[in-house]
Amino acid sequence: MHELMPILLFVGIVVTLLAGYPVALSLGGTALAFALIGEVFGLFEPAFLEALPNRLYGVMTNETLIAVPLFVFMGVMLERSRVAESLLDTMAMLFGPLRGGLGISVTLVGMLLAASTGIVGATVVTMGLLSLPIMMRRGYSPSLAAGTICASGTLGQIIPPSIVLVLLGDVLSSAYQQAQLEMGVWSPETVSVGDLFVGALVPGLMLVGLYILYIVGVAVFKPESVPAMPREDRPVDGATLAWRVVSVLIPPLFLVVAVLGSILGGFATPTEAASVGAVGALILAAVRGRLTLSTLREVVRQTTMVTSMVFLIFIGAAIFSLVFRGFGGDDLVTEFLTGLPGGTFGAVALVMLVMFLLGFILDFIEITFVVVPIVGPVLLAMGLDPIWLGVMMAINLQTSFLTPPFGFSLFYLRGVAPPEITTVDIYKGVAPFILIQLLVLGLLALWPALTTWLPGLVYAS
């Protein structure tokens, strides 16, 4: 019976979540209920819960996690200052003469928004509201238009500065140290959020390049699906367009370079760089005349809501982790993963499959706080590189967010798409982009250096 308790606990939490209860309360409440049942039947030692105050104090004093509200503030402020609208208009004029130019514009704007906001839901909704009607008016295939928006909107999962990478980096750092201590390494190496940011750059840009390559391929073989913008819809001359490109593109690009450049150059930690981004977003909004008291109030309120949700989930996940460990769940997971056929490959494949399936019903925050602390130390003790593992997990979750019928990005777009865009159109549209994601995952599995080469280069210099 004792060996079944960790499995029953995990199943109980999934059932509670599917019933619609809040995530943080589901995690903490279900875990405490199982702890009480376990204590009554002599299966759980309450002393495990005595570690909870130290866990929570560790969260309160963790400087890395300060980056979460700062990046959320930066993203929401840029969204409210309508940067996406200006970028999309300008890029559409720039690439409009080309077949597929509007799709390429959406992909590039999605990349810039991912690098400047990192909030997937906001990016997909914003791009859906702004670009989907334009693409439909221009005669684009409904499925291609929907797929391009969903795929480019989810780039915020992997392109830094990403909130996913901030949270993954913090959890993997603890898991990596735990794995090394279990292997008898008493001076453990560390992995930071900055390491994941640098490691995710090449895979993120690969995804963008392959998305654009796919759109170009459609333009060559099915030109009627991606028509060029007619001349009368591009009334500006070359000089005016050049000025618009400079005035609209340079400020957000400079902000992204300032944030990432300060991390890559070793001038700032991710938390310090996040503060640069937050201040830069304020300045950008002020220059654009969008920084009003009501806007600032709304941005602060939204930031507080998202941050509170993240940290409440963190508390619930800490309770779950302690109870799961008290039932011997971590030993059970270790024995199971190390005993799988295929060794390390089999263990990684199974964990990726489980995370992919959980991505249908759980957000990345719950998966990061609940699943990664359980499987991370086991996988890292097998000798896997933590940067590679973190980037693989991020892209895997990104793929899950795109996959029908439960992908979160599909729901976001369905909520704002016009009636003529059917759910089948959205499902058909994302299929090629899912294959691209799987291709990149396969390439990273075959050549881990695609994620580890740049961090080694940056931190060796």
Side-chain angles (χ1 to χ4, degrees), residues 188-422:
E189 299 177 3
T190 59
V191 59
S192 67
V193 173
D195 295 330
L196 279 190
F197 278 6
V198 181
L201 270 177
V202 172
L205 293 176
M206 281 174 60
L207 281 173
V208 174
L210 289 171
Y211 288 174
I212 292 175
L213 195 61
Y214 165 68
I215 295 170
V216 171
V218 172
V220 172
F221 295 105
K222 293 183 67 178
E224 69 280 0
S225 299
V226 285
M229 288 176 64
R231 177 65 189 172
E232 57 270 19
D233 290 340
R234 296 178 278 109
V236 297
D237 56 42
T240 306
L241 179 59
W243 168 244
R244 283 193 61 171
V245 169
V246 171
S247 60
V248 170
L249 187 61
I250 295 302
L253 198 58
F254 178 78
L255 183 60
V256 171
V257 170
V259 172
L260 288 181
S262 59
I263 298 172
L264 296 179
F267 303 114
T269 65
T271 301
E272 293 164 344
S275 66
V276 172
V279 173
L282 277 171
I283 295 172
L284 193 58
V287 169
R288 295 173 61 84
R290 302 284 182 183
L291 187 59
T292 63
L293 189 59
S294 61
T295 299
L296 187 59
R297 186 184 297 116
E298 178 60 30
V299 170
V300 170
R301 182 183 292 115
Q302 187 72 20
T303 302
T304 304
M305 288 174 59
V306 173
T307 306
S308 301
M309 176 194 70
V310 170
F311 283 88
L312 272 176
I313 293 172
F314 212 135
I315 293 170
I319 298 173
F320 164 79
S321 176
L322 289 171
V323 175
F324 188 81
R325 183 162 295 168
F327 283 125
D330 50 346
D331 295 330
L332 187 67
V333 170
T334 301
E335 290 174 12
F336 179 71
L337 290 179
T338 53
L340 282 174
T344 303
F345 176 81
V348 172
L350 180 64
V351 168
M352 289 294 171
L353 177 62
V354 170
M355 290 181 68
F356 179 81
L357 295 175
L358 286 176
F360 290 155
I361 57 173
L362 300 178
D363 200 352
F364 71 88
I365 301 172
E366 296 95 81
I367 295 174
T368 300
F369 288 159
V370 174
V371 179
V372 179
I374 295 173
V375 301
V378 184
L379 295 178
L380 293 172
M382 294 178 175
L384 296 176
D385 186 281
I387 300 176
W388 175 83
L389 183 62
V391 173
M392 287 284 286
M393 286 179 170
I395 296 180
N396 186 31
L397 289 175
Q398 183 180 340
T399 308
S400 177
F401 270 41
L402 274 179
T403 303
F406 301 113
F408 282 105
S409 292
L410 312 182
F411 293 146
Y412 294 141
L413 185 62
R414 177 68 277 170
V416 297
E420 59 266 25
I421 301 288
T422 66

Side-chain angles (χ1 to χ4, degrees), residues 140-159:
Y140 266 63
S141 159
S143 58
L144 179 68
T148 303
I149 292 168
C150 282
S152 58
T154 52
L155 287 170
Q157 293 277 81
I158 188 64
I159 291 184

Side-chain angles (χ1 to χ4, degrees), residues 32 46-62 314-316 318-320 322:
L32 289 175
F48 275 94
L49 291 176
E50 293 176 4
L52 184 60
N54 285 334
R55 289 281 188 96
L56 300 186
Y57 185 73
V59 174
M60 293 165 57
T61 56
N62 190 333
F314 212 135
I315 293 170
I319 298 173
F320 164 79
L322 289 171

Side-chain angles (χ1 to χ4, degrees), residues 440-455:
V440 171
L441 267 176
L443 291 174
L444 295 184
L446 287 173
W447 293 290
L450 290 170
T451 59
T452 58
W453 166 74
L454 190 57

Side-chain angles (χ1 to χ4, degrees), residues 62-75 117 119 162-168 170 193 270-271 274-275 303 306-311 314 364-365 369:
N62 190 333
E63 292 186 7
T64 301
L65 294 177
I66 298 174
V68 173
L70 290 171
F71 278 133
V72 172
F73 180 92
M74 171 183 164
T117 67
I119 304 173
S162 159
I163 296 172
V164 178
L165 296 177
V166 172
L167 299 177
L168 259 179
D170 184 68
V193 173
T271 301
S275 66
T303 302
V306 173
T307 306
S308 301
M309 176 194 70
V310 170
F311 283 88
F314 212 135
F364 71 88
I365 301 172
F369 288 159

